[in-house]
Amino acid sequence: MTAEVGEQVTDADLVAGYRRNPELFTAVYDRYLHDIYRYVAGRLGTQVAEDITAETFLLAFDRRDRFDPEKGGLRPWLFGFATNLVARHRRKEARHYKALARLDPEPIVEGHENRVVTSVTAQPYLAMALASLNGGERDVLLLLALGQLSYNETAQALGISLGTVGSRLSRARAKIQTLIDKETTHE
């Protein structure tokens, strides 16, 4: 699967390619692996990120014939799988943030993914605030922040409307701001 010099291979090209030859699905993996891994590591930590990321691509590969480009792009489709797998680990995720909230911030560890996770959880009150969000609010906030998806991509990944993305994000921001304000006035 190659493009002419100066042309970029589009998601539509990738889909057409892997539909003709399933081995070409590796191009999807190569293109989106880092984004999915970073998102999952930010949600669940680096210890399980590799497994969840691998499971995300395995599910996507198994369901590759069901991908409908009319409903959105490959990126939000993959983030939808990742978010659903993260949901299976949601209780563990909430306990993770609560535990981080009880700890003193640790120095930044080598590696980009660990720096991202550390920066997100460096402040105990931020970790506690993330733990206090309901699953939908946390999914929207972290898809936008860690996954760096657009509002439209987030809506596609979660199978919700654009308005629901906005309202969940608004509620999440308000809850986090309230908790941060409460914590910072007590210091």
Side-chain angles (χ1 to χ4, degrees):
M1 175 166 315
T2 59
E4 298 296 320
V5 176
E7 289 184 32
Q8 203 170 8
V9 176
T10 66
D11 282 357
D13 295 333
L14 291 176
V15 172
Y18 76 62
R19 285 195 171 143
R20 286 190 308 271
N21 181 357
E23 290 180 16
L24 295 177
F25 191 82
T26 57
V28 174
Y29 177 86
D30 292 341
R31 179 174 286 182
Y32 295 112
L33 172 66
H34 182 72
D35 292 341
I36 298 296
Y37 178 82
R38 185 182 64 236
Y39 169 68
V40 174
R43 296 287 308 261
L44 299 173
T46 57
Q47 293 175 335
V48 293
E50 288 183 22
D51 292 339
I52 299 296
T53 300
E55 195 171 347
T56 296
F57 283 97
L58 179 62
L59 278 171
F61 181 77
D62 287 344
R63 297 177 185 172
R64 69 191 178 278
D65 292 333
R66 297 182 198 162
F67 174 74
D68 182 359
E70 297 295 318
K71 293 183 179 177
L74 282 171
R75 186 170 186 252
W77 184 65
L78 292 167
F79 273 95
F81 286 125
T83 300
N84 288 335
L85 291 170
V86 165
R88 291 183 188 172
H89 292 85
R90 193 163 277 147
R91 284 190 204 133
K92 185 176 181 180
E93 177 188 37
R95 286 192 305 265
H96 170 75
Y97 286 130
K98 286 177 182 173
L100 287 171
R102 291 188 297 267
L103 298 174
D104 290 329
E106 295 183 19
I108 293 177
V109 182
E110 288 299 316
H112 174 71
E113 290 81 15
N114 288 334
R115 284 194 300 273
V116 169
V117 172
T118 300
S119 68
V120 167
T121 59
Q123 300 298 326
Y125 49 82
L126 179 57
M128 190 54 108
L130 288 171
S132 74
L133 300 176
N134 71 40
E137 294 163 348
R138 193 167 40 245
D139 287 344
V140 166
L141 179 68
L142 295 175
L143 277 169
L144 290 164
L146 292 177
Q148 299 177 343
L149 269 66
S150 69
Y151 280 51
N152 285 331
E153 289 174 321
T154 299
Q156 291 170 20
L158 297 176
I160 59 177
S161 72
L162 194 56
T164 302
V165 170
S167 63
R168 286 182 184 177
L169 180 61
S170 179
R171 285 193 308 269
R173 285 176 174 164
K175 286 180 182 180
I176 289 174
Q177 189 62 53
T178 299
L179 288 169
I180 289 173
D181 290 346
K182 183 179 173 184
E183 287 297 319
T184 56
T185 58
H186 292 296
E187 290 186 6

